Amino acid sequence: MIVDLGDGAAVALSVATWVAVSFAVGWWATRWPDDRLVTEGPFTRLRGWEAGGAFWQRRLRVQRWKDRLPEAGAFFGGAAKRRLPSRSDEGLEAFRRETVRAERVHWLILATTPVHLLWCRPTVFAGMVLYGVVFNVPFIVVQRANRGRLDRILSRRRRR
């Protein structure tokens, strides 16, 4: 901790920081060009053990709870991910790009967690880590599960 604010002020500043970072990253992400979302990076690349997203469905039953999460993809002019834009290949590809965008947004928000060390005692910081995980990881999981399903569908269509 560099700045001693007291726990109440530290929590208030952290909440404001989470909100500001979430809005800033969300706004920035809507300006990313589509070609930047076609390929995954080291964090967003699906791993073999995820079995094309099936792991998340089997272990966490993503289909049962994913619709309960808030959807803010269209907040700054981006695309909502509640429904497919279309069942065409182009629509599926567009939706797939949005899953990459959304996952990157949540990874970036989560990556800002260490900034809370500037004003939080270790126990308060632990709470901020927990907050960051609880409010970002479910979204990451849903995007990975959805992208795996989309990849399987698009792969089958390409083989035809």
Side-chain angles (χ1 to χ4, degrees), residues 18 108-117 125 128-130 132-133 136:
W18 284 120
L108 285 167
I109 294 168
L110 198 53
T112 66
T113 303
V115 77
H116 300 274
L117 279 171
F125 177 71
M128 292 305 117
V129 170
L130 181 62
V133 168
N136 287 288

mmCIF file with all atom_site columns, all heavy atoms in Angstrom, residues 18 108-117 125 128-130 132-133 136:
data_model
loop_
_atom_site.group_PDB
_atom_site.id
_atom_site.type_symbol
_atom_site.label_atom_id
_atom_site.label_alt_id
_atom_site.label_comp_id
_atom_site.label_asym_id
_atom_site.label_entity_id
_atom_site.label_seq_id
_atom_site.pdbx_PDB_ins_code
_atom_site.Cartn_x
_atom_site.Cartn_y
_atom_site.Cartn_z
_atom_site.occupancy
_atom_site.B_iso_or_equiv
_atom_site.pdbx_formal_charge
_atom_site.auth_seq_id
_atom_site.auth_comp_id
_atom_site.auth_asym_id
_atom_site.auth_atom_id
_atom_site.pdbx_PDB_model_num
ATOM 1   N N   . TRP A 1 18  ? -13.021 0.129   -10.413 1.00 0.00 ? 18  TRP A N   1
ATOM 2   C CA  . TRP A 1 18  ? -13.581 -0.983  -11.199 1.00 0.00 ? 18  TRP A CA  1
ATOM 3   C C   . TRP A 1 18  ? -14.593 -0.462  -12.216 1.00 0.00 ? 18  TRP A C   1
ATOM 4   O O   . TRP A 1 18  ? -14.578 -0.873  -13.375 1.00 0.00 ? 18  TRP A O   1
ATOM 5   C CB  . TRP A 1 18  ? -14.265 -2.010  -10.296 1.00 0.00 ? 18  TRP A CB  1
ATOM 6   C CG  . TRP A 1 18  ? -13.367 -2.922  -9.540  1.00 0.00 ? 18  TRP A CG  1
ATOM 7   C CD1 . TRP A 1 18  ? -13.285 -3.038  -8.183  1.00 0.00 ? 18  TRP A CD1 1
ATOM 8   C CD2 . TRP A 1 18  ? -12.440 -3.876  -10.071 1.00 0.00 ? 18  TRP A CD2 1
ATOM 9   N NE1 . TRP A 1 18  ? -12.357 -3.997  -7.847  1.00 0.00 ? 18  TRP A NE1 1
ATOM 10  C CE2 . TRP A 1 18  ? -11.825 -4.532  -8.985  1.00 0.00 ? 18  TRP A CE2 1
ATOM 11  C CE3 . TRP A 1 18  ? -12.061 -4.240  -11.353 1.00 0.00 ? 18  TRP A CE3 1
ATOM 12  C CZ2 . TRP A 1 18  ? -10.862 -5.528  -9.149  1.00 0.00 ? 18  TRP A CZ2 1
ATOM 13  C CZ3 . TRP A 1 18  ? -11.099 -5.233  -11.515 1.00 0.00 ? 18  TRP A CZ3 1
ATOM 14  C CH2 . TRP A 1 18  ? -10.514 -5.853  -10.432 1.00 0.00 ? 18  TRP A CH2 1
ATOM 15  N N   . LEU A 1 108 ? -8.829  -7.753  -19.782 1.00 0.00 ? 108 LEU A N   1
ATOM 16  C CA  . LEU A 1 108 ? -8.195  -6.452  -19.543 1.00 0.00 ? 108 LEU A CA  1
ATOM 17  C C   . LEU A 1 108 ? -8.666  -5.829  -18.231 1.00 0.00 ? 108 LEU A C   1
ATOM 18  O O   . LEU A 1 108 ? -7.870  -5.242  -17.493 1.00 0.00 ? 108 LEU A O   1
ATOM 19  C CB  . LEU A 1 108 ? -8.456  -5.503  -20.713 1.00 0.00 ? 108 LEU A CB  1
ATOM 20  C CG  . LEU A 1 108 ? -7.643  -5.794  -21.964 1.00 0.00 ? 108 LEU A CG  1
ATOM 21  C CD1 . LEU A 1 108 ? -8.190  -5.012  -23.155 1.00 0.00 ? 108 LEU A CD1 1
ATOM 22  C CD2 . LEU A 1 108 ? -6.174  -5.484  -21.738 1.00 0.00 ? 108 LEU A CD2 1
ATOM 23  N N   . ILE A 1 109 ? -9.945  -5.931  -17.945 1.00 0.00 ? 109 ILE A N   1
ATOM 24  C CA  . ILE A 1 109 ? -10.455 -5.412  -16.671 1.00 0.00 ? 109 ILE A CA  1
ATOM 25  C C   . ILE A 1 109 ? -9.773  -6.141  -15.518 1.00 0.00 ? 109 ILE A C   1
ATOM 26  O O   . ILE A 1 109 ? -9.291  -5.516  -14.564 1.00 0.00 ? 109 ILE A O   1
ATOM 27  C CB  . ILE A 1 109 ? -11.986 -5.551  -16.598 1.00 0.00 ? 109 ILE A CB  1
ATOM 28  C CG1 . ILE A 1 109 ? -12.665 -4.649  -17.631 1.00 0.00 ? 109 ILE A CG1 1
ATOM 29  C CG2 . ILE A 1 109 ? -12.487 -5.243  -15.191 1.00 0.00 ? 109 ILE A CG2 1
ATOM 30  C CD1 . ILE A 1 109 ? -14.148 -4.935  -17.829 1.00 0.00 ? 109 ILE A CD1 1
ATOM 31  N N   . LEU A 1 110 ? -9.720  -7.445  -15.617 1.00 0.00 ? 110 LEU A N   1
ATOM 32  C CA  . LEU A 1 110 ? -9.095  -8.256  -14.572 1.00 0.00 ? 110 LEU A CA  1
ATOM 33  C C   . LEU A 1 110 ? -7.606  -7.927  -14.424 1.00 0.00 ? 110 LEU A C   1
ATOM 34  O O   . LEU A 1 110 ? -7.070  -7.927  -13.304 1.00 0.00 ? 110 LEU A O   1
ATOM 35  C CB  . LEU A 1 110 ? -9.289  -9.732  -14.894 1.00 0.00 ? 110 LEU A CB  1
ATOM 36  C CG  . LEU A 1 110 ? -9.103  -10.746 -13.791 1.00 0.00 ? 110 LEU A CG  1
ATOM 37  C CD1 . LEU A 1 110 ? -9.934  -10.416 -12.565 1.00 0.00 ? 110 LEU A CD1 1
ATOM 38  C CD2 . LEU A 1 110 ? -9.457  -12.132 -14.296 1.00 0.00 ? 110 LEU A CD2 1
ATOM 39  N N   . ALA A 1 111 ? -6.960  -7.613  -15.520 1.00 0.00 ? 111 ALA A N   1
ATOM 40  C CA  . ALA A 1 111 ? -5.518  -7.300  -15.491 1.00 0.00 ? 111 ALA A CA  1
ATOM 41  C C   . ALA A 1 111 ? -5.207  -6.026  -14.714 1.00 0.00 ? 111 ALA A C   1
ATOM 42  O O   . ALA A 1 111 ? -4.060  -5.814  -14.307 1.00 0.00 ? 111 ALA A O   1
ATOM 43  C CB  . ALA A 1 111 ? -4.975  -7.186  -16.916 1.00 0.00 ? 111 ALA A CB  1
ATOM 44  N N   . THR A 1 112 ? -6.204  -5.192  -14.492 1.00 0.00 ? 112 THR A N   1
ATOM 45  C CA  . THR A 1 112 ? -5.963  -3.953  -13.734 1.00 0.00 ? 112 THR A CA  1
ATOM 46  C C   . THR A 1 112 ? -6.024  -4.171  -12.225 1.00 0.00 ? 112 THR A C   1
ATOM 47  O O   . THR A 1 112 ? -5.802  -3.229  -11.457 1.00 0.00 ? 112 THR A O   1
ATOM 48  C CB  . THR A 1 112 ? -6.971  -2.849  -14.126 1.00 0.00 ? 112 THR A CB  1
ATOM 49  O OG1 . THR A 1 112 ? -8.286  -3.234  -13.721 1.00 0.00 ? 112 THR A OG1 1
ATOM 50  C CG2 . THR A 1 112 ? -6.924  -2.558  -15.611 1.00 0.00 ? 112 THR A CG2 1
ATOM 51  N N   . THR A 1 113 ? -6.289  -5.379  -11.793 1.00 0.00 ? 113 THR A N   1
ATOM 52  C CA  . THR A 1 113 ? -6.407  -5.671  -10.361 1.00 0.00 ? 113 THR A CA  1
ATOM 53  C C   . THR A 1 113 ? -5.216  -5.162  -9.537  1.00 0.00 ? 113 THR A C   1
ATOM 54  O O   . THR A 1 113 ? -5.422  -4.584  -8.465  1.00 0.00 ? 113 THR A O   1
ATOM 55  C CB  . THR A 1 113 ? -6.613  -7.182  -10.133 1.00 0.00 ? 113 THR A CB  1
ATOM 56  O OG1 . THR A 1 113 ? -7.775  -7.600  -10.851 1.00 0.00 ? 113 THR A OG1 1
ATOM 57  C CG2 . THR A 1 113 ? -6.789  -7.508  -8.665  1.00 0.00 ? 113 THR A CG2 1
ATOM 58  N N   . PRO A 1 114 ? -3.981  -5.333  -9.970  1.00 0.00 ? 114 PRO A N   1
ATOM 59  C CA  . PRO A 1 114 ? -2.850  -4.884  -9.135  1.00 0.00 ? 114 PRO A CA  1
ATOM 60  C C   . PRO A 1 114 ? -2.864  -3.396  -8.782  1.00 0.00 ? 114 PRO A C   1
ATOM 61  O O   . PRO A 1 114 ? -2.252  -3.006  -7.779  1.00 0.00 ? 114 PRO A O   1
ATOM 62  C CB  . PRO A 1 114 ? -1.620  -5.236  -9.968  1.00 0.00 ? 114 PRO A CB  1
ATOM 63  C CG  . PRO A 1 114 ? -2.069  -6.384  -10.811 1.00 0.00 ? 114 PRO A CG  1
ATOM 64  C CD  . PRO A 1 114 ? -3.513  -6.081  -11.136 1.00 0.00 ? 114 PRO A CD  1
ATOM 65  N N   . VAL A 1 115 ? -3.558  -2.565  -9.534  1.00 0.00 ? 115 VAL A N   1
ATOM 66  C CA  . VAL A 1 115 ? -3.579  -1.133  -9.224  1.00 0.00 ? 115 VAL A CA  1
ATOM 67  C C   . VAL A 1 115 ? -4.177  -0.887  -7.836  1.00 0.00 ? 115 VAL A C   1
ATOM 68  O O   . VAL A 1 115 ? -3.825  0.086   -7.159  1.00 0.00 ? 115 VAL A O   1
ATOM 69  C CB  . VAL A 1 115 ? -4.318  -0.318  -10.322 1.00 0.00 ? 115 VAL A CB  1
ATOM 70  C CG1 . VAL A 1 115 ? -5.824  -0.453  -10.209 1.00 0.00 ? 115 VAL A CG1 1
ATOM 71  C CG2 . VAL A 1 115 ? -3.931  1.138   -10.255 1.00 0.00 ? 115 VAL A CG2 1
ATOM 72  N N   . HIS A 1 116 ? -5.027  -1.778  -7.378  1.00 0.00 ? 116 HIS A N   1
ATOM 73  C CA  . HIS A 1 116 ? -5.646  -1.617  -6.060  1.00 0.00 ? 116 HIS A CA  1
ATOM 74  C C   . HIS A 1 116 ? -4.628  -1.746  -4.930  1.00 0.00 ? 116 HIS A C   1
ATOM 75  O O   . HIS A 1 116 ? -4.894  -1.293  -3.815  1.00 0.00 ? 116 HIS A O   1
ATOM 76  C CB  . HIS A 1 116 ? -6.787  -2.629  -5.884  1.00 0.00 ? 116 HIS A CB  1
ATOM 77  C CG  . HIS A 1 116 ? -7.861  -2.456  -6.906  1.00 0.00 ? 116 HIS A CG  1
ATOM 78  N ND1 . HIS A 1 116 ? -8.904  -1.574  -6.749  1.00 0.00 ? 116 HIS A ND1 1
ATOM 79  C CD2 . HIS A 1 116 ? -8.042  -3.024  -8.121  1.00 0.00 ? 116 HIS A CD2 1
ATOM 80  C CE1 . HIS A 1 116 ? -9.686  -1.617  -7.813  1.00 0.00 ? 116 HIS A CE1 1
ATOM 81  N NE2 . HIS A 1 116 ? -9.176  -2.491  -8.667  1.00 0.00 ? 116 HIS A NE2 1
ATOM 82  N N   . LEU A 1 117 ? -3.485  -2.326  -5.220  1.00 0.00 ? 117 LEU A N   1
ATOM 83  C CA  . LEU A 1 117 ? -2.420  -2.416  -4.214  1.00 0.00 ? 117 LEU A CA  1
ATOM 84  C C   . LEU A 1 117 ? -1.906  -1.039  -3.812  1.00 0.00 ? 117 LEU A C   1
ATOM 85  O O   . LEU A 1 117 ? -1.308  -0.884  -2.744  1.00 0.00 ? 117 LEU A O   1
ATOM 86  C CB  . LEU A 1 117 ? -1.247  -3.245  -4.748  1.00 0.00 ? 117 LEU A CB  1
ATOM 87  C CG  . LEU A 1 117 ? -1.384  -4.753  -4.665  1.00 0.00 ? 117 LEU A CG  1
ATOM 88  C CD1 . LEU A 1 117 ? -0.252  -5.434  -5.417  1.00 0.00 ? 117 LEU A CD1 1
ATOM 89  C CD2 . LEU A 1 117 ? -1.418  -5.212  -3.216  1.00 0.00 ? 117 LEU A CD2 1
ATOM 90  N N   . PHE A 1 125 ? -7.176  -5.764  -0.406  1.00 0.00 ? 125 PHE A N   1
ATOM 91  C CA  . PHE A 1 125 ? -6.761  -6.138  -1.755  1.00 0.00 ? 125 PHE A CA  1
ATOM 92  C C   . PHE A 1 125 ? -7.249  -7.539  -2.099  1.00 0.00 ? 125 PHE A C   1
ATOM 93  O O   . PHE A 1 125 ? -7.696  -7.796  -3.222  1.00 0.00 ? 125 PHE A O   1
ATOM 94  C CB  . PHE A 1 125 ? -5.236  -6.053  -1.910  1.00 0.00 ? 125 PHE A CB  1
ATOM 95  C CG  . PHE A 1 125 ? -4.753  -6.491  -3.249  1.00 0.00 ? 125 PHE A CG  1
ATOM 96  C CD1 . PHE A 1 125 ? -4.994  -5.713  -4.376  1.00 0.00 ? 125 PHE A CD1 1
ATOM 97  C CD2 . PHE A 1 125 ? -4.082  -7.693  -3.400  1.00 0.00 ? 125 PHE A CD2 1
ATOM 98  C CE1 . PHE A 1 125 ? -4.559  -6.127  -5.638  1.00 0.00 ? 125 PHE A CE1 1
ATOM 99  C CE2 . PHE A 1 125 ? -3.644  -8.112  -4.641  1.00 0.00 ? 125 PHE A CE2 1
ATOM 100 C CZ  . PHE A 1 125 ? -3.887  -7.331  -5.764  1.00 0.00 ? 125 PHE A CZ  1
ATOM 101 N N   . MET A 1 128 ? -10.559 -7.298  -3.305  1.00 0.00 ? 128 MET A N   1
ATOM 102 C CA  . MET A 1 128 ? -10.611 -6.755  -4.667  1.00 0.00 ? 128 MET A CA  1
ATOM 103 C C   . MET A 1 128 ? -10.269 -7.828  -5.691  1.00 0.00 ? 128 MET A C   1
ATOM 104 O O   . MET A 1 128 ? -10.850 -7.874  -6.784  1.00 0.00 ? 128 MET A O   1
ATOM 105 C CB  . MET A 1 128 ? -9.668  -5.555  -4.818  1.00 0.00 ? 128 MET A CB  1
ATOM 106 C CG  . MET A 1 128 ? -10.100 -4.331  -4.027  1.00 0.00 ? 128 MET A CG  1
ATOM 107 S SD  . MET A 1 128 ? -11.783 -3.809  -4.418  1.00 0.00 ? 128 MET A SD  1
ATOM 108 C CE  . MET A 1 128 ? -12.580 -4.040  -2.833  1.00 0.00 ? 128 MET A CE  1
ATOM 109 N N   . VAL A 1 129 ? -9.338  -8.701  -5.354  1.00 0.00 ? 129 VAL A N   1
ATOM 110 C CA  . VAL A 1 129 ? -9.013  -9.833  -6.235  1.00 0.00 ? 129 VAL A CA  1
ATOM 111 C C   . VAL A 1 129 ? -10.241 -10.720 -6.386  1.00 0.00 ? 129 VAL A C   1
ATOM 112 O O   . VAL A 1 129 ? -10.615 -11.098 -7.505  1.00 0.00 ? 129 VAL A O   1
ATOM 113 C CB  . VAL A 1 129 ? -7.808  -10.641 -5.693  1.00 0.00 ? 129 VAL A CB  1
ATOM 114 C CG1 . VAL A 1 129 ? -7.628  -11.936 -6.469  1.00 0.00 ? 129 VAL A CG1 1
ATOM 115 C CG2 . VAL A 1 129 ? -6.542  -9.795  -5.733  1.00 0.00 ? 129 VAL A CG2 1
ATOM 116 N N   . LEU A 1 130 ? -10.885 -11.023 -5.264  1.00 0.00 ? 130 LEU A N   1
ATOM 117 C CA  . LEU A 1 130 ? -12.093 -11.849 -5.303  1.00 0.00 ? 130 LEU A CA  1
ATOM 118 C C   . LEU A 1 130 ? -13.178 -11.178 -6.142  1.00 0.00 ? 130 LEU A C   1
ATOM 119 O O   . LEU A 1 130 ? -13.825 -11.819 -6.976  1.00 0.00 ? 130 LEU A O   1
ATOM 120 C CB  . LEU A 1 130 ? -12.596 -12.111 -3.884  1.00 0.00 ? 130 LEU A CB  1
ATOM 121 C CG  . LEU A 1 130 ? -13.837 -12.989 -3.762  1.00 0.00 ? 130 LEU A CG  1
ATOM 122 C CD1 . LEU A 1 130 ? -13.557 -14.384 -4.326  1.00 0.00 ? 130 LEU A CD1 1
ATOM 123 C CD2 . LEU A 1 130 ? -14.273 -13.070 -2.307  1.00 0.00 ? 130 LEU A CD2 1
ATOM 124 N N   . GLY A 1 132 ? -12.757 -9.020  -8.571  1.00 0.00 ? 132 GLY A N   1
ATOM 125 C CA  . GLY A 1 132 ? -12.345 -9.082  -9.974  1.00 0.00 ? 132 GLY A CA  1
ATOM 126 C C   . GLY A 1 132 ? -12.612 -10.436 -10.587 1.00 0.00 ? 132 GLY A C   1
ATOM 127 O O   . GLY A 1 132 ? -13.090 -10.535 -11.719 1.00 0.00 ? 132 GLY A O   1
ATOM 128 N N   . VAL A 1 133 ? -12.338 -11.487 -9.840  1.00 0.00 ? 133 VAL A N   1
ATOM 129 C CA  . VAL A 1 133 ? -12.573 -12.847 -10.338 1.00 0.00 ? 133 VAL A CA  1
ATOM 130 C C   . VAL A 1 133 ? -14.075 -13.112 -10.487 1.00 0.00 ? 133 VAL A C   1
ATOM 131 O O   . VAL A 1 133 ? -14.536 -13.573 -11.532 1.00 0.00 ? 133 VAL A O   1
ATOM 132 C CB  . VAL A 1 133 ? -11.904 -13.884 -9.409  1.00 0.00 ? 133 VAL A CB  1
ATOM 133 C CG1 . VAL A 1 133 ? -12.366 -15.299 -9.717  1.00 0.00 ? 133 VAL A CG1 1
ATOM 134 C CG2 . VAL A 1 133 ? -10.386 -13.781 -9.518  1.00 0.00 ? 133 VAL A CG2 1
ATOM 135 N N   . ASN A 1 136 ? -15.657 -11.099 -13.445 1.00 0.00 ? 136 ASN A N   1
ATOM 136 C CA  . ASN A 1 136 ? -15.092 -11.201 -14.786 1.00 0.00 ? 136 ASN A CA  1
ATOM 137 C C   . ASN A 1 136 ? -14.973 -12.622 -15.301 1.00 0.00 ? 136 ASN A C   1
ATOM 138 O O   . ASN A 1 136 ? -15.231 -12.880 -16.474 1.00 0.00 ? 136 ASN A O   1
ATOM 139 C CB  . ASN A 1 136 ? -13.723 -10.508 -14.837 1.00 0.00 ? 136 ASN A CB  1
ATOM 140 C CG  . ASN A 1 136 ? -13.860 -9.016  -14.803 1.00 0.00 ? 136 ASN A CG  1
ATOM 141 O OD1 . ASN A 1 136 ? -14.289 -8.408  -15.771 1.00 0.00 ? 136 ASN A OD1 1
ATOM 142 N ND2 . ASN A 1 136 ? -13.545 -8.414  -13.668 1.00 0.00 ? 136 ASN A ND2 1
#
